[in-house]
Amino acid sequence: MWNFTYALDILLATHSKPRLKSLWPFFNLVIPAVLTASGSFSIYYPSLSTCGGPNVNEVANYLAYFLPMLLVIVCNPFFFYYTAKKVKSLVTQQHGRYSVREQVIVQSAKVKFTMIIFVFIACWFPNVVNAILDAVRINESVQNAMWAMWVLKVSQYIYLS
């Protein structure tokens, strides 16, 4: 949710719209807490000692976790694209020119936005694949693929730490 809020806030700021500063705690604390609690509750209901197999509760859990991720993956590239387009006009208006210095500013904004999207997708892609494999559960080769994805996730977190 932080990535989504950041992208939306920076889009609003570059287009001279009211920003979301007062709504950041709601978007970044309350909504994730509610989604996490509802997803966990759905998976462990009616007993905390066991979680059920593939059923409606598991689908609710996946929706609680992956819909916000899908929101970020779909919306953020558009938000960052329109923000990057506006950065060029803002820099040109502010200085009245588009020299090498202004080009570097615009290019660094584009690189920053691209890297945010790339890192988000790279970090969450193994989780998405693992969830799909977990939902399918075809045979032992799927279990081996899940194990490989788990190893990839752990090594990725160790590398990024």
Side-chain angles (χ1 to χ4, degrees):
M1 289 306 293
W2 184 90
N3 283 302
F4 177 77
T5 309
Y6 174 75
L8 183 59
D9 197 37
I10 203 156
L11 177 72
L12 293 172
T14 55
H15 287 81
S16 302
K17 305 281 187 207
R19 296 183 62 198
L20 302 172
K21 283 189 176 192
S22 61
L23 294 176
W24 272 68
F26 177 74
F27 281 121
N28 297 316
L29 296 173
V30 174
I31 290 176
V34 168
L35 288 173
T36 300
S38 63
S40 298
F41 179 77
S42 71
I43 205 76
Y44 287 107
Y45 182 78
S47 170
L48 289 176
S49 62
T50 60
C51 61
N55 57 24
V56 175
N57 295 344
E58 194 170 282
V59 171
N61 183 44
Y62 283 133
L63 290 176
Y65 288 112
F66 292 112
L67 280 180
M69 189 181 317
L70 184 63
L71 179 75
V72 172
I73 290 172
V74 170
C75 293
N76 278 18
F78 292 108
F79 291 164
F80 287 144
Y81 173 76
Y82 291 117
T83 300
K85 279 179 58 173
K86 189 68 174 177
V87 166
K88 181 178 179 180
S89 67
L90 288 173
V91 169
T92 306
Q93 288 173 357
Q94 184 178 15
H95 299 289
R97 63 179 187 261
Y98 193 63
S99 67
V100 174
R101 183 174 181 206
E102 285 76 21
Q103 290 174 6
V104 168
I105 292 170
V106 171
Q107 189 62 29
S108 67
K110 288 180 182 179
V111 168
K112 179 180 180 179
F113 298 152
T114 303
M115 290 307 295
I116 289 171
I117 293 169
F118 175 75
V119 168
F120 183 86
I121 292 172
C123 289
W124 283 102
F125 183 73
N127 291 324
V128 172
V129 172
N130 194 28
I132 292 168
L133 292 175
D134 186 35
V136 173
R137 296 183 190 181
I138 297 173
N139 55 25
E140 189 174 321
S141 64
V142 172
Q143 297 291 48
N144 292 337
M146 287 178 65
W147 174 254
M149 292 305 292
W150 184 82
V151 169
L152 178 62
K153 286 192 298 187
V154 169
S155 62
Q156 181 181 33
Y157 293 132
I158 291 171
Y159 177 74
L160 293 175
S161 298

